[in-house]
PDB file of all heavy atoms in Angstrom:
ATOM      1  N   SER A1463      28.595   6.721 -17.162  1.00 98.00           N
ATOM      2  CA  SER A1463      29.008   5.911 -16.017  1.00 98.00           C
ATOM      3  C   SER A1463      27.806   5.685 -15.102  1.00 98.00           C
ATOM      4  O   SER A1463      27.356   6.596 -14.394  1.00 98.00           O
ATOM      5  CB  SER A1463      30.128   6.668 -15.280  1.00 98.00           C
ATOM      6  OG  SER A1463      30.238   6.192 -13.957  1.00 98.00           O
ATOM      7  N   ALA A1464      27.267   4.479 -15.156  1.00 98.00           N
ATOM      8  CA  ALA A1464      26.061   4.176 -14.366  1.00 98.00           C
ATOM      9  C   ALA A1464      26.401   3.306 -13.158  1.00 98.00           C
ATOM     10  O   ALA A1464      27.160   2.347 -13.267  1.00 98.00           O
ATOM     11  CB  ALA A1464      25.027   3.474 -15.236  1.00 98.00           C
ATOM     12  N   ARG A1465      25.811   3.680 -12.027  1.00 98.00           N
ATOM     13  CA  ARG A1465      25.909   2.838 -10.824  1.00 98.00           C
ATOM     14  C   ARG A1465      24.734   1.854 -10.870  1.00 98.00           C
ATOM     15  O   ARG A1465      23.632   2.225 -11.266  1.00 98.00           O
ATOM     16  CB  ARG A1465      25.793   3.723  -9.589  1.00 98.00           C
ATOM     17  CG  ARG A1465      25.844   2.982  -8.273  1.00 98.00           C
ATOM     18  CD  ARG A1465      25.730   3.925  -7.085  1.00 98.00           C
ATOM     19  NE  ARG A1465      26.799   4.943  -7.095  1.00 98.00           N
ATOM     20  CZ  ARG A1465      26.934   5.893  -6.164  1.00 98.00           C
ATOM     21  NH1 ARG A1465      26.073   5.973  -5.165  1.00 98.00           N
ATOM     22  NH2 ARG A1465      27.910   6.774  -6.238  1.00 98.00           N
ATOM     23  N   VAL A1466      24.964   0.625 -10.481  1.00 98.00           N
ATOM     24  CA  VAL A1466      23.858  -0.342 -10.415  1.00 98.00           C
ATOM     25  C   VAL A1466      23.716  -0.845  -8.983  1.00 98.00           C
ATOM     26  O   VAL A1466      24.678  -1.350  -8.392  1.00 98.00           O
ATOM     27  CB  VAL A1466      24.084  -1.540 -11.364  1.00 98.00           C
ATOM     28  CG1 VAL A1466      22.964  -2.578 -11.182  1.00 98.00           C
ATOM     29  CG2 VAL A1466      24.136  -1.077 -12.812  1.00 98.00           C
ATOM     30  N   LEU A1467      22.514  -0.670  -8.449  1.00 98.00           N
ATOM     31  CA  LEU A1467      22.206  -1.208  -7.118  1.00 98.00           C
ATOM     32  C   LEU A1467      21.209  -2.345  -7.257  1.00 98.00           C
ATOM     33  O   LEU A1467      20.198  -2.208  -7.955  1.00 98.00           O
ATOM     34  CB  LEU A1467      21.608  -0.127  -6.213  1.00 98.00           C
ATOM     35  CG  LEU A1467      22.462   1.096  -5.890  1.00 98.00           C
ATOM     36  CD1 LEU A1467      21.677   2.034  -4.958  1.00 98.00           C
ATOM     37  CD2 LEU A1467      23.785   0.695  -5.246  1.00 98.00           C
ATOM     38  N   ASN A1468      21.509  -3.458  -6.612  1.00 98.00           N
ATOM     39  CA  ASN A1468      20.573  -4.580  -6.545  1.00 98.00           C
ATOM     40  C   ASN A1468      19.749  -4.424  -5.268  1.00 98.00           C
ATOM     41  O   ASN A1468      20.268  -4.564  -4.163  1.00 98.00           O
ATOM     42  CB  ASN A1468      21.369  -5.890  -6.523  1.00 98.00           C
ATOM     43  CG  ASN A1468      20.495  -7.084  -6.143  1.00 98.00           C
ATOM     44  OD1 ASN A1468      19.280  -7.068  -6.345  1.00 98.00           O
ATOM     45  ND2 ASN A1468      21.131  -8.121  -5.597  1.00 98.00           N
ATOM     46  N   MET A1469      18.457  -4.140  -5.433  1.00 98.00           N
ATOM     47  CA  MET A1469      17.596  -3.947  -4.265  1.00 98.00           C
ATOM     48  C   MET A1469      16.825  -5.247  -4.019  1.00 98.00           C
ATOM     49  O   MET A1469      15.666  -5.385  -4.413  1.00 98.00           O
ATOM     50  CB  MET A1469      16.646  -2.766  -4.518  1.00 98.00           C
ATOM     51  CG  MET A1469      16.054  -2.188  -3.259  1.00 98.00           C
ATOM     52  SD  MET A1469      17.285  -1.435  -2.169  1.00 98.00           S
ATOM     53  CE  MET A1469      17.411   0.224  -2.841  1.00 98.00           C
ATOM     54  N   ALA A1470      17.493  -6.181  -3.372  1.00 98.00           N
ATOM     55  CA  ALA A1470      16.863  -7.491  -3.131  1.00 98.00           C
ATOM     56  C   ALA A1470      15.858  -7.414  -1.982  1.00 98.00           C
ATOM     57  O   ALA A1470      14.913  -8.194  -1.923  1.00 98.00           O
ATOM     58  CB  ALA A1470      17.924  -8.541  -2.820  1.00 98.00           C
ATOM     59  N   THR A1471      16.073  -6.492  -1.056  1.00 98.00           N
ATOM     60  CA  THR A1471      15.071  -6.261  -0.006  1.00 98.00           C
ATOM     61  C   THR A1471      14.267  -5.037  -0.419  1.00 98.00           C
ATOM     62  O   THR A1471      14.798  -3.931  -0.467  1.00 98.00           O
ATOM     63  CB  THR A1471      15.722  -5.967   1.363  1.00 98.00           C
ATOM     64  OG1 THR A1471      16.749  -6.929   1.621  1.00 98.00           O
ATOM     65  CG2 THR A1471      14.696  -5.998   2.474  1.00 98.00           C
ATOM     66  N   ILE A1472      12.996  -5.234  -0.722  1.00 98.00           N
ATOM     67  CA  ILE A1472      12.156  -4.089  -1.113  1.00 98.00           C
ATOM     68  C   ILE A1472      11.577  -3.433   0.138  1.00 98.00           C
ATOM     69  O   ILE A1472      11.295  -2.244   0.170  1.00 98.00           O
ATOM     70  CB  ILE A1472      10.999  -4.523  -2.033  1.00 98.00           C
ATOM     71  CG1 ILE A1472      11.517  -5.378  -3.194  1.00 98.00           C
ATOM     72  CG2 ILE A1472      10.234  -3.312  -2.547  1.00 98.00           C
ATOM     73  CD1 ILE A1472      12.215  -4.655  -4.282  1.00 98.00           C
ATOM     74  N   LYS A1473      11.369  -4.241   1.170  1.00 98.00           N
ATOM     75  CA  LYS A1473      10.876  -3.683   2.429  1.00 98.00           C
ATOM     76  C   LYS A1473      11.489  -4.461   3.579  1.00 98.00           C
ATOM     77  O   LYS A1473      11.342  -5.681   3.603  1.00 98.00           O
ATOM     78  CB  LYS A1473       9.356  -3.768   2.485  1.00 98.00           C
ATOM     79  CG  LYS A1473       8.776  -3.051   3.714  1.00 98.00           C
ATOM     80  CD  LYS A1473       7.296  -3.276   3.803  1.00 98.00           C
ATOM     81  CE  LYS A1473       6.778  -2.656   5.095  1.00 98.00           C
ATOM     82  NZ  LYS A1473       5.390  -3.007   5.339  1.00 98.00           N
ATOM     83  N   PRO A1474      12.175  -3.824   4.507  1.00 98.00           N
ATOM     84  CA  PRO A1474      12.418  -2.374   4.577  1.00 98.00           C
ATOM     85  C   PRO A1474      13.418  -1.943   3.508  1.00 98.00           C
ATOM     86  O   PRO A1474      14.416  -2.627   3.279  1.00 98.00           O
ATOM     87  CB  PRO A1474      13.017  -2.195   5.971  1.00 98.00           C
ATOM     88  CG  PRO A1474      13.687  -3.506   6.261  1.00 98.00           C
ATOM     89  CD  PRO A1474      12.830  -4.555   5.614  1.00 98.00           C
ATOM     90  N   ILE A1475      13.145  -0.830   2.874  1.00 98.00           N
ATOM     91  CA  ILE A1475      14.000  -0.408   1.770  1.00 98.00           C
ATOM     92  C   ILE A1475      15.220   0.331   2.315  1.00 98.00           C
ATOM     93  O   ILE A1475      15.155   0.960   3.378  1.00 98.00           O
ATOM     94  CB  ILE A1475      13.210   0.442   0.755  1.00 98.00           C
ATOM     95  CG1 ILE A1475      13.935   0.439  -0.597  1.00 98.00           C
ATOM     96  CG2 ILE A1475      12.968   1.873   1.261  1.00 98.00           C
ATOM     97  CD1 ILE A1475      13.033   0.517  -1.775  1.00 98.00           C
ATOM     98  N   ASP A1476      16.315   0.214   1.568  1.00 98.00           N
ATOM     99  CA  ASP A1476      17.580   0.803   2.010  1.00 98.00           C
ATOM    100  C   ASP A1476      17.613   2.295   1.627  1.00 98.00           C
ATOM    101  O   ASP A1476      18.171   2.679   0.603  1.00 98.00           O
ATOM    102  CB  ASP A1476      18.737   0.034   1.357  1.00 98.00           C
ATOM    103  CG  ASP A1476      20.099   0.538   1.799  1.00 98.00           C
ATOM    104  OD1 ASP A1476      20.164   1.532   2.548  1.00 98.00           O
ATOM    105  OD2 ASP A1476      21.100  -0.073   1.377  1.00 98.00           O
ATOM    106  N   SER A1477      17.035   3.118   2.474  1.00 98.00           N
ATOM    107  CA  SER A1477      16.940   4.556   2.192  1.00 98.00           C
ATOM    108  C   SER A1477      18.319   5.193   2.077  1.00 98.00           C
ATOM    109  O   SER A1477      18.530   6.090   1.252  1.00 98.00           O
ATOM    110  CB  SER A1477      16.169   5.269   3.300  1.00 98.00           C
ATOM    111  OG  SER A1477      14.905   4.692   3.434  1.00 98.00           O
ATOM    112  N   ASP A1478      19.255   4.730   2.903  1.00 98.00           N
ATOM    113  CA  ASP A1478      20.593   5.334   2.887  1.00 98.00           C
ATOM    114  C   ASP A1478      21.244   5.205   1.516  1.00 98.00           C
ATOM    115  O   ASP A1478      21.790   6.176   0.987  1.00 98.00           O
ATOM    116  CB  ASP A1478      21.490   4.673   3.937  1.00 98.00           C
ATOM    117  CG  ASP A1478      21.037   4.983   5.359  1.00 98.00           C
ATOM    118  OD1 ASP A1478      20.207   5.907   5.516  1.00 98.00           O
ATOM    119  OD2 ASP A1478      21.490   4.293   6.287  1.00 98.00           O
ATOM    120  N   SER A1479      21.186   4.006   0.948  1.00 98.00           N
ATOM    121  CA  SER A1479      21.818   3.804  -0.370  1.00 98.00           C
ATOM    122  C   SER A1479      21.106   4.587  -1.469  1.00 98.00           C
ATOM    123  O   SER A1479      21.739   5.074  -2.412  1.00 98.00           O
ATOM    124  CB  SER A1479      21.824   2.323  -0.743  1.00 98.00           C
ATOM    125  OG  SER A1479      22.638   1.613   0.148  1.00 98.00           O
TER     126      SER A1479
END
Side-chain angles (χ1 to χ4, degrees):
Chain A
S1463 160
R1465 179 180 302 180
V1466 176
L1467 298 181
N1468 167 26
M1469 199 65 86
T1471 313
I1472 310 285
K1473 187 186 175 188
I1475 201 147
D1476 182 356
S1477 303
D1478 292 346
S1479 295

